Amino acid sequence: MNNQGKVKKVAISTTINGEEMEILVDPYISLLETLREIVGITGTKEGCNDGNCGACTVSIDGRIVDSCLVLGVEVEGKKIETVEGMATSEGLHPLQQAFLEEAALQCGICTPGFLVSAKALLDNEPKPSEERIRHWLAGNLCRCTGYDKIVKAVKKASN
Amino acid sequence: MVLDVNKKKYKVIGTRPIRHDGYDKVTGRAQYGADLKLPGMLIGAVLRSPHAHARIKNLDTTDAEKMDGVFAVMTAKDLPRLTDAERGNSEESGSEKHLSENVMAFDKVLYKGHVVAAVAAKDQNTALEAVKKIKVEYQILKSVTNVDQAMAPGAPILLEDFSGDHLGKKVRKTNIAAHVRHNVGDVDAAFKKAELIIEKEVNMQTVHQGYIEPHNATAVWDEEDRIKVWTSTQGAFDVRDSVSKVLGLGVSRIRVTPMEIGGGFGGKIPIYLEPIAAVLSKKSRRPVKAMMNRTDVFDATGPGPGGKVKVKIGIDSKGKMLAAYADIRLEAGGYPEAFIEAAAKCVFSCYEIPSMRIDAYDVLVNKASSAPYRAPASPQVAFATETVVDEICLQKKFDPIDFRLMNVATKGTRTALGPKYRTIGLQECLEAAKNSDQWKSRLDSKPSSGKKRGRGIASGYWFNIGFKSSVNLALNSDGIVSLTEGSTDIGGTRASIAMQAAEVLGIPAENIRPTVVDTDSIGHTDVTGGSRTTYATGYAAYKAAYKLIDEIIEKAALKWDINKNDVEYSDGVIKSKTDSALTMTIQEIASDSPGGPIVSSASVDLEEAGGGFAVHIVDLEIDEETGKTDVVNYTAIQDVGKAIHPSYVEGQMQGGAAQGIGWALNEEYFMSDDGVMLNSSYLDYRMPISLDLPMINTIIVEVPSEEHPFGVRGVGEPPIVPPIPAIGNAITNALGLRLLSTPMKPSRIIEALKKEN
Amino acid sequence: MIKVFLPYKIREILDVPVEIEAEGTNLRGLIDYLENMYPGVKNQLVEDDKLRPGMSAVIDGRTTRLGLIQKLENVSEIHFLPAIAGG
């Protein structure tokens, strides 16, 4: 706390999509808000802000989390990956390409969350079954597609 | 699978190109409303009523105004008082006073979550803290949250100055905003002749469209009293019109830029935050962005109406329907309306019935004002009708598809509202259902101990509106055509519109670059909804493409110094009909176009397009101990007229089915006794997740509509209609008992099983 | 002669049969013809020389978007109905 009784911002060192950066964060804001407002990358979306829809999914040191349930200050020294880090100068990640080819998005708001979640699955289990895919993605809500084409896209990308 | 009735061959239509906005959306670049940042932008937050029904006795914003970091505070006193007389009862002619009061309450709140004030502050947290400092004194009133309560004698009256329209009579002090009736033939005489009459009443809970993206709006009000608005909306021009009414400014003073939108399903047609952001911007002299949170979305944005629907059908000894009666009562929420005319139009739409009478009631209740939800009111009435049809089949041992075919609505059938159908494809859908793998497959009714399986089928209908759309085309020097249009793209319509222009021009879909533009940049375009976008905006693109060809031909004739009747165009190449040496590509004419660049524009104002029918088949497995119901197989069959982009057509069928499944099995608003929604989060408002659904098989039937050059019918809405009754019928098939309330959740199934035993 | 069907509400108020017959070269003319037979009908259907907001005219199954200027050629049935939209 500073002299006026206001809570001071905290300096955080973190790596986001491979880029090391230092940011100043209010200690009470979420990682989601940190990414969108402080770092300024808005690919990660807010759907509910209470950990129930997965639209804010990011990966922290290889593990997927709902970034609305993580504080910004908690990622000191950690590696964060968001949807913005999936494509490279070589091109789209196979999941992104598969989502396009299989028409696995309609409004697209849930798509970043699904891509980050699905990538974490394929990074660890290269050839998941349909049931495994559905189980893994159960924390990501989609209201437009009924999940059919999303599951097909993940299967396609796993080949 | 695509079943094309007329087997016409197209070059682009029916293919599956990658959608033009796809790359931005899979990389996170696409800008949705909440992503927008403007220099100097403030964050707006609103104060909402904690009470379902109350008078505002006092509103004190002083402490909020004094707070550090707060730049503006507003109440309804900052909006002009509108006093128009109540108009008709359709979406197009709602009261302006109600529109304004729904945005911000003036002297009375009608639902928990009703906005009473708003602030703009330097950041989200300051704005939320400031809102807490606004003091409101409420006189709490008794509330009503369903049609029975609202229609009971002595019920508290929501709109005290309002007159309901009861079959043409103006009635004051009523919660029945409207009572309408439709009558064809003579039902009383016809029922007397019936050999069997079945009557059922269904009870539906309120549900939400459930779009993942909460509402948002950003506004700048400048020194010239011109307003720029950015919002995730289904209709930028609708927003412009509504904001113009609420703020009392001419439409041309308002420019609305539609951002990318994270789902709508009808729920993002009404305005909520736009006028608030605008007034806060005026008062603070800064851009202001306001966003809802998930609780706000559930509490205060228009849900799909709950209510009660009673249907009675009489058949003769052969099984022909003679008479049908419906009594439809739907919740309008705090303000009219509840889509009762649409309900009346849909309730008997799948059948040819010589005598029909429908009474429909639009009922005010203390809930957020109902908004359209994908085929508004059609799922509710289909549940009732298809339950009665299923019951008739059970009692008379009729095959469910053959009975429907015996009574099928077809071209020339007189509808309940009066007009006769033009070409429709329900019969073809029923036949496709009969021939489908799922229908032909054997269902094991007792797959394992403690589990039962059942199969259900149901039909559904939604008409599709036409209305106005505009499209501009410009031919670039590389032969690529820029297409600008005003239909926000919720599900791939940018692509389906571009594909129709590409088909006419004979060039690949990738060579059309579509952009959705703001209200200053394109002619009036009506809402993305009502299943009209691929139909109407596509038709405008089609017309604009033909006009572009005329322009190309004229410029070529000028360039070659020949008569334009001597010039022909085909697939990107222009030729002289008589001199084979004269030939060039559209790139060549575009790079050197005499008299100016090659552009065209077209607009339409269309009638309804033929209407879409859907038939769904569902196989369920029910655990008799827990009541848990799993969908083990699902087939959605639908007549789409012509599938421009089959992948996105399938997407609509699957998405609508998924919403219907959630509605049937789990979704509902739990209301407390004092009118507060208790489950206003995604945890407890239980929408389907990936584990809840199987692959959803689709069969696209194509019976071209007469109203569109490629035969397009609206696709988006019909698929939400059959799931609820199909599931109800499957439960009956599995367990031998019938549920008449949604959701058909585990506890209801257990309770019903207990009663049976 | 064209068969004309008015909404239930208007039929009740003005005591008009379910099916009536009228003629006109366009919708405006037809409504004037109806007004002669059933005074008061025009006011129910028309406001400011336009079809009332919330009222539509369906001509042989097709909803006209042109309102009163819609020409009537080879028409069998006209239904006046509440205008409805969707979601």
Side-chain angles (χ1 to χ4, degrees):
Chain A
M1 303 272 274
N2 67 8
N3 291 340
Q4 281 99 28
K6 286 202 192 126
V7 174
K8 273 191 96 157
K9 291 193 205 284
V10 177
I12 302 290
S13 294
T14 181
T15 306
I16 299 179
N17 295 325
E19 188 185 335
E20 284 173 19
M21 52 179 79
E22 280 189 19
I23 46 180
L24 269 180
V25 178
D26 285 310
Y28 49 79
I29 70 169
S30 66
L31 174 60
L32 174 64
E33 206 177 329
T34 304
L35 290 169
R36 290 178 57 82
E37 305 302 322
I38 313 295
V39 180
I41 50 174
T42 57
T44 308
K45 308 297 181 193
E46 176 181 321
C48 67
N49 214 30
D50 57 18
N52 285 307
C53 75
C56 66
T57 307
V58 302
S59 121
I60 302 181
D61 289 344
R63 192 176 153 214
I64 48 171
V65 297
D66 286 328
S67 59
C68 67
L69 295 180
V70 176
L71 291 176
V73 293
E74 287 185 67
V75 302
E76 164 71 40
K78 300 205 192 294
K79 290 195 172 63
I80 303 169
E81 282 172 23
T82 72
V83 67
E84 286 96 341
M86 281 179 75
T88 65
S89 51
E90 316 286 302
L92 293 178
H93 187 280
L95 273 168
Q96 291 169 309
Q97 186 67 32
F99 266 59
L100 289 177
E101 288 168 7
E102 294 301 304
L105 59 144
Q106 287 181 31
C107 79
I109 196 86
C110 71
T111 303
F114 270 98
L115 287 170
V116 172
S117 289
K119 178 173 183 292
L121 173 65
L122 296 186
D123 283 350
N124 292 315
E125 292 174 46
K127 294 235 184 278
S129 65
E130 176 189 333
E131 199 190 326
R132 181 68 178 139
I133 294 170
R134 286 185 182 276
H135 196 268
W136 187 268
L137 296 177
N140 287 85
L141 276 184
C142 175
R143 195 52 161 168
C144 294
T145 67
Y147 306 100
D148 185 293
K149 291 180 187 298
I150 292 176
V151 173
K152 288 190 171 114
V154 176
K155 265 230 157 236
K156 186 175 200 176
S158 71
N159 293 334
Chain B
M1 190 199 303
V2 180
L3 299 176
D4 177 4
V5 165
N6 69 358
K7 308 262 183 285
K8 201 152 174 217
K9 283 280 161 274
Y10 294 103
K11 293 177 205 130
V12 176
I13 286 170
T15 64
R16 300 172 189 250
I18 289 181
R19 62 194 277 180
H20 302 76
D21 55 324
Y23 293 90
D24 284 344
K25 289 192 167 146
V26 299
T27 54
R29 281 194 299 264
Q31 291 276 291
Y32 293 80
D35 301 332
L36 181 67
K37 287 189 185 26
L38 297 176
M41 191 174 79
L42 301 173
I43 302 294
V46 300
L47 176 66
R48 296 180 182 275
S49 163
H51 306 296
H53 194 194
R55 264 183 249 287
I56 301 171
K57 299 306 270 181
N58 195 38
L59 184 57
D60 182 1
T61 58
T62 349
D63 288 347
E65 288 168 45
K66 285 195 285 203
M67 198 175 139
D68 199 32
V70 171
F71 289 76
V73 178
M74 79 172 279
T75 67
K77 294 204 172 76
D78 293 303
L79 296 173
R81 294 298 300 145
L82 302 176
T83 54
D84 62 323
E86 277 78 30
R87 306 193 110 198
N89 193 41
S90 83
E91 270 174 70
E92 288 185 89
S93 61
S95 152
E96 293 179 5
K97 178 166 177 279
H98 293 161
L99 175 69
S100 172
E101 288 180 1
N102 196 37
V103 167
M104 192 170 283
F106 185 70
D107 52 8
K108 205 178 180 204
V109 293
L110 296 173
Y111 50 92
K112 190 241 177 189
H114 200 159
V115 174
V116 299
V119 308
K122 64 178 186 181
D123 57 41
Q124 176 91 330
N125 286 288
T126 309
L128 291 174
E129 290 297 314
V131 155
K132 287 187 205 162
K133 291 197 191 305
I134 300 175
K135 298 195 196 53
V136 189
E137 205 184 300
Y138 294 103
Q139 177 199 354
I140 300 174
L141 303 168
K142 199 158 166 286
S143 60
V144 288
T145 51
N146 61 44
V147 297
D148 285 340
Q149 285 175 5
M151 289 169 82
I157 300 299
L158 270 71
L159 297 176
E160 291 155 279
D161 298 328
F162 173 76
S163 300
D165 183 329
H166 298 188
L167 295 181
K169 285 202 193 69
K170 294 272 173 246
V171 176
R172 292 184 65 78
K173 301 285 182 244
T174 175
N175 288 326
I176 301 172
H179 169 203
V180 301
R181 177 173 290 162
H182 292 277
N183 205 29
V184 169
D186 183 346
V187 278
D188 296 320
F191 271 123
K192 288 202 176 79
K193 296 203 185 81
E195 197 236 34
L196 173 69
I197 298 174
I198 301 276
E199 180 180 315
K200 292 285 173 203
E201 182 177 61
V202 302
N203 210 318
M204 319 273 305
Q205 294 307 308
T206 314
V207 291
H208 197 271
Q209 301 82 347
Y211 35 82
I212 308 289
E213 176 202 43
H215 296 254
N216 56 72
T218 305
V220 170
W221 188 314
D222 73 15
E223 299 71 20
E224 226 191 347
D225 282 337
R226 289 191 185 280
I227 305 174
K228 297 190 188 65
V229 176
W230 294 260
T231 175
S232 294
T233 176
Q234 291 177 236
F237 285 88
D238 285 63
V239 171
R240 191 177 77 162
D241 284 348
S242 295
V243 170
S244 137
K245 284 178 186 152
V246 172
L247 299 180
L249 289 177
V251 289
S252 60
R253 291 199 162 270
I254 301 161
R255 186 196 77 192
V256 179
T257 302
M259 304 295 285
E260 298 294 348
I261 175 176
F265 315 109
K268 291 204 176 118
I269 294 176
I271 57 165
Y272 294 101
L273 298 172
E274 293 84 352
I276 295 174
V279 172
L280 289 171
S281 173
K282 178 182 189 188
K283 293 185 102 174
S284 64
R285 284 266 157 262
R286 304 265 288 263
V288 174
K289 177 163 85 177
M291 297 169 289
M292 286 196 198
N293 64 40
R294 184 50 51 185
T295 314
D296 296 343
V297 173
F298 277 121
D299 280 340
T301 65
K308 291 175 109 140
V309 183
K310 188 190 301 186
V311 160
K312 183 166 109 170
I313 298 178
I315 58 169
D316 69 13
S317 54
K318 292 203 187 68
K320 285 291 269 176
M321 291 182 184
L322 296 175
Y325 175 69
D327 179 306
I328 303 166
R329 298 168 187 218
L330 297 175
E331 296 168 5
Y335 299 100
E337 56 142 304
F339 321 108
I340 57 175
E341 293 288 9
K345 187 165 172 145
C346 293
V347 64
F348 299 130
S349 51
C350 296
Y351 302 101
E352 181 162 276
I353 311 175
S355 294
M356 296 176 273
R357 180 186 295 144
I358 300 163
D359 282 300
Y361 301 85
D362 186 330
V363 184
L364 300 171
V365 297
N366 292 109
K367 284 174 173 160
S369 185
S370 294
Y373 177 15
R374 203 168 199 160
S378 189
Q380 290 90 328
V381 298
F383 185 26
T385 300
E386 293 297 290
T387 295
V388 168
V389 165
D390 191 66
E391 192 60 34
I392 292 173
C393 292
L394 257 184
Q395 291 196 19
K396 299 289 283 180
K397 299 204 190 351
F398 289 146
D399 173 272
I401 296 186
D402 288 338
F403 176 68
R404 287 177 171 84
L405 280 169
M406 192 194 318
N407 290 287
V408 72
T410 181
K411 181 171 181 169
T413 298
R414 191 173 290 290
T415 63
L417 265 54
K420 294 181 186 167
Y421 280 123
R422 287 158 55 76
T423 303
I424 54 175
L426 175 57
Q427 186 166 331
E428 288 80 351
C429 287
L430 287 166
E431 280 155 6
K434 207 174 191 178
N435 289 320
S436 67
D437 289 342
Q438 185 170 349
W439 192 255
K440 294 204 280 214
S441 71
R442 227 194 114 251
L443 183 71
D444 184 0
S445 58
K446 272 213 180 98
S448 54
S449 140
K451 299 217 199 243
K452 291 251 175 75
R453 285 194 179 188
R455 176 170 292 168
I457 186 170
S459 311
Y461 164 77
W462 186 258
F463 50 95
N464 43 259
I465 59 178
F467 298 166
K468 305 179 175 78
S469 282
S470 312
V471 167
N472 290 339
L473 297 177
L475 178 58
N476 297 290
S477 58
D478 55 359
I480 305 294
V481 176
S482 304
L483 185 158
T484 52
E485 45 114 343
S487 290
T488 55
D489 185 349
I490 317 184
T493 48
R494 226 173 318 223
S496 66
I497 291 161
M499 287 168 75
Q500 292 179 63
E503 182 70 42
V504 170
L505 292 168
I507 60 180
E510 294 75 15
N511 287 13
I512 309 269
R513 303 311 307 175
T515 314
V516 179
V517 296
D518 65 52
T519 54
D520 279 352
S521 308
I522 190 73
H524 188 99
T525 295
D526 279 312
V527 70
T528 294
S531 308
R532 66 173 297 271
T533 314
T534 298
Y535 165 56
T537 308
Y539 202 154
Y542 167 96
K543 282 175 67 171
Y546 272 109
K547 282 186 170 182
L548 196 72
I549 292 174
D550 287 343
E551 281 291 300
I552 290 169
I553 288 175
E554 268 212 39
K555 304 281 192 196
L558 202 56
K559 198 167 157 111
W560 287 330
D561 196 17
I562 59 180
N563 190 297
K564 68 179 183 194
N565 295 323
D566 188 24
V567 180
E568 64 185 4
Y569 169 93
S570 172
D571 296 350
V573 174
I574 308 114
K575 286 193 179 92
S576 155
K577 289 178 192 167
T578 51
D579 185 349
S580 59
L582 293 178
T583 170
M584 66 180 149
T585 63
I586 48 172
Q587 289 91 321
E588 285 169 318
I589 188 73
S591 358
D592 187 21
S593 161
I598 301 179
V599 300
S600 75
S601 107
S603 71
V604 298
D605 187 358
L606 302 178
E607 55 179 324
E608 281 182 28
F613 288 86
V615 176
H616 288 197
I617 306 167
V618 62
D619 291 346
L620 299 178
E621 180 172 286
I622 305 172
D623 183 316
E624 291 182 291
E625 197 184 322
T626 63
K628 179 151 196 307
T629 303
D630 286 317
V631 179
V632 296
N633 201 358
Y634 201 99
T635 303
I637 301 139
Q638 189 172 332
D639 170 24
V640 308
K642 184 69 204 160
I644 301 294
H645 191 315
S647 299
Y648 289 102
V649 168
E650 288 156 3
Q652 290 298 312
M653 293 165 70
Q654 292 166 336
Q659 286 181 311
I661 291 168
W663 194 334
L665 291 176
N666 285 102
E667 293 177 39
E668 63 179 322
Y669 278 37
F670 276 108
M671 306 299 291
S672 72
D673 287 336
D674 39 14
V676 168
M677 182 185 183
L678 297 173
N679 62 326
S680 52
S681 82
Y682 275 143
L683 182 65
D684 296 316
Y685 182 84
R686 180 69 168 76
M687 303 187 333
I689 61 175
S690 54
L691 273 177
D692 292 326
L693 300 170
M695 291 297 185
I696 299 171
N697 306 305
T698 57
I699 300 176
I700 297 175
V701 171
E702 291 178 322
V703 175
S705 88
E706 298 169 50
E707 294 79 20
H708 184 279
F710 302 129
V712 164
R713 294 178 194 275
V715 155
E717 291 172 287
I720 200 176
V721 183
I724 302 168
I727 286 173
N729 296 341
I731 291 174
T732 301
N733 184 245
L735 304 178
L737 49 82
R738 195 171 285 287
L739 292 181
L740 295 172
S741 295
T742 61
M744 292 174 264
K745 53 191 175 176
S747 54
R748 276 216 173 96
I749 292 182
I750 305 271
E751 207 181 293
L753 281 169
K754 278 208 184 90
K755 268 212 193 103
E756 283 276 300
N757 304 329
Chain C
M1 292 296 264
I2 302 172
K3 291 203 191 108
V4 178
F5 300 78
L6 295 173
Y8 182 93
K9 188 170 89 169
I10 298 179
R11 294 192 331 249
E12 287 291 292
I13 294 173
L14 297 175
D15 196 21
V16 172
V18 172
E19 201 178 295
I20 50 186
E21 291 203 321
E23 56 188 15
T25 50
N26 64 23
L27 206 60
R28 181 181 282 123
L30 182 112
I31 291 176
D32 286 338
Y33 186 105
L34 288 174
E35 177 69 10
N36 266 332
M37 293 201 300
Y38 303 101
V41 160
K42 184 165 179 174
N43 191 45
Q44 294 285 332
L45 299 173
V46 169
E47 185 188 68
D48 294 336
D49 198 34
K50 282 195 293 230
L51 269 182
R52 275 187 180 276
M55 185 64 64
S56 69
V58 180
I59 299 169
D60 286 338
R62 310 184 68 151
T63 328
T64 174
R65 299 296 301 161
L66 292 174
L68 299 180
I69 64 172
Q70 172 69 53
K71 285 198 181 21
L72 304 173
E73 277 154 34
N74 298 319
V75 171
S76 306
E77 293 187 357
I78 298 180
H79 294 257
F80 288 98
L81 288 179
I84 326 176

